[in-house]
Amino acid sequence: MSDEQNNNPEPEEANGPRVPLPEAPSRGYFEGESVTRRNAFIVSSQVLAGVAGAAVVLPTIAFALAPVFTPFEERWEAVGVIDDFTSDNYRAVVFTETLGIGEVGKTTAYVRKGSSEYEGESDDEFVAISTRCAHLGCPVRYVQAAGNFICPCHGGVYDFVGKRIGGPPPRPLDRFQTRVEDGKVEIGPRFSVTNQLKAVRVRDPGEFTGGIWEFLYPPRPSTPPAP
Ligand code: FES
């Protein structure tokens, strides 16, 4: 084979000469577009992620903050006439603490007439002590023979005015506000007390009251203000 034959260019393809393709547009753009497809996908996926995030976060925030803006509705209920109560013994009364939830909204309190014999009381007031144990919330019972409130769950014991004297409860028993209207004793909103029986905003069972605990266990905004 001669040198001339060896230098021949590649044979043309059977279907004819190769036609060069038109120059490709820049990657991601179509004619008339000002944003690449990649950027369009990024932006739309970020918008979708934002909407999905807002759908989860906004209701949570609204749920948490709603109680702050919901005014507390004070409720009073008559539980007997003045002469039904004495200062040396308690009488158990059942009343509705939370409206609209049926029997579950009812609670029991031990009520007696106040006495200047006891710290911070006067003879013309009434004292209503909650039966909800300040430890974990079991119902306590007043035992007249001992003059104490006893909790059956873990042995919590409270004295005559509801101060803890034994067992695991971290604070005295809660109380309810009282007043007299038309000769009837009425029970109002619940409140908690410190070990010195100073009224504070109501706390959940297990929470201490007074001193630094007021900051460590801040009250829930949905609870009534302290009297
Ligand atoms: S619930 Fe009353 S002592 Fe524990």
Side-chain angles (χ1 to χ4, degrees), residues 26-27 34 36 43 52 64 73 84-85 92 106 164 176 187 208:
S26 2
R27 192 154 29 135
S34 57
T36 62
V43 170
E73 246 181 72
D84 287 343
F85 305 98
K106 294 193 172 189
R164 186 199 78 91
F176 294 94
I187 292 195
F208 290 83

Side-chain angles (χ1 to χ4, degrees), residues 146-165:
N148 291 336
F149 295 89
I150 312 282
C151 179
C153 289
H154 313 104
V157 183
Y158 305 83
D159 70 7
F160 185 73
V161 295
K163 280 186 179 177
R164 186 199 78 91
I165 53 175

